[in-house]
Amino acid sequence: MKKIVFIGAGSMAQAIIHGWEKEKTVSFENVYVMNKSDLVKQEYLKKTYGLQIICENKEQIRTADLIILATKPKDVQEAMKSISSYLSPSTVVLSVVAGVPMSTIEKGLGHRPIARCMPNTSATIGMSASAVSWNSLVEETTKIEIINLLNAIGTVIQVEEDKLHVITALSGSGPAYVYYFVEAFEEAAVSLGLSSKVARDLLIETLAGSAEMMKQSSKSPEVLRKQVTSPGGTTEAGLAALQKNNFIQILGTCLKDAELRSRELGKQYD
């Protein structure tokens, strides 16, 4: 993938670019970005990473090896229309647009190799949990190249496209749920007398340590939870409060609603 063009310069594109810079994955003299209107954002990316900007003159798109669609879902149709006539038949398209199916992309950009991926913003620090699916035109060598680009920003698995809806809900949106969890616990801890900084520092280390325990241990989360929970102790009291307030059902509804929204987006733009 010698020449890569980002269509869209939002948070996901920036996270991927920053992750690549951190891991020294690509040469940014061969990475281009085109954004609908925010020239300030494009100039920031050019100054920070040394990549190239595409404005009204879209001729650079003709020689692109890989197009990365990274717009908001509501903007993807307009974006595809603006570039479709410039694409070479051999150009590969990788979409990171939430909810928009490959069938929509094929209608907008023609019958070509298309991959669809759902990373998350932890790509910025090389810790994205990503999933990718392919259409039938993506060759094995191209799959390897794309997987290598995604491995540079975290972990990646290959799945059927339909599974991307629940993966979008789980790991794509997952960081927001974790941040919201920390917000809520921090607020509760402050109400009980801790400073905001102390509460947040403790929560961050607790989350990091728990995640590392799950990575290093062969034990299930249920077993690890039970090992922390002494009968009649503080942990049991806290867990009882979560169970009483339908914690599992709340998280299930969260995931279900986000997955449903992803499917709705797919139908809306298909």
Side-chain angles (χ1 to χ4, degrees), residues 116-119 129-133 150 155-159 164 167:
R116 185 177 158 208
C117 176
M118 194 64 246
S130 306
V132 64
S133 59
L150 296 174
T155 60
V156 59
I157 61 171
Q158 300 180 66
V159 298
L164 286 178
I167 290 169

Side-chain angles (χ1 to χ4, degrees), residues 213-226:
M213 280 287 288
M214 287 188 285
K215 286 180 70 174
Q216 293 190 22
S217 176
S218 60
K219 297 174 182 177
S220 69
E222 180 185 8
V223 170
L224 292 172
R225 169 177 60 80
K226 289 180 177 178

Side-chain angles (χ1 to χ4, degrees), residues 1-8 16 20 30-34 54 58-71 76 79-80 82-84 86-97 105 109 112-117 142 146 149:
M1 297 296 178
K2 295 179 180 178
K3 185 173 182 179
I4 300 172
V5 178
F6 282 86
I7 308 299
I16 293 170
W20 285 350
N30 296 319
V31 177
Y32 294 71
V33 63
M34 186 182 96
I54 296 175
K58 301 183 180 70
E59 289 298 317
Q60 288 289 351
I61 295 174
R62 295 191 189 279
T63 53
D65 297 296
L66 177 67
I67 293 289
I68 299 181
L69 280 179
T71 67
V76 72
M80 290 193 296
S82 72
I83 66 171
S84 60
Y86 294 90
L87 291 186
S88 162
S90 63
T91 301
V92 179
V93 174
L94 170 62
S95 171
V96 296
V97 183
I105 298 165
L109 297 179
R112 65 177 60 255
I114 298 171
R116 185 177 158 208
C117 176
T142 302
I146 290 175
L149 290 174

Side-chain angles (χ1 to χ4, degrees), residues 109-131:
L109 297 179
H111 195 55
R112 65 177 60 255
I114 298 171
R116 185 177 158 208
C117 176
M118 194 64 246
N120 61 38
T121 52
S122 297
T124 303
I125 57 171
M127 294 185 70
S128 174
S130 306

Side-chain angles (χ1 to χ4, degrees), residues 16 46 51 80 93 100 125 143 157 176 208-209 212 231 239 256 266 268:
I16 293 170
K46 180 179 180 180
L51 49 70
M80 290 193 296
V93 174
V100 179
I125 57 171
K143 289 180 182 180
I157 61 171
E212 193 60 33
L239 287 171
K256 184 177 179 180
Q268 181 177 348

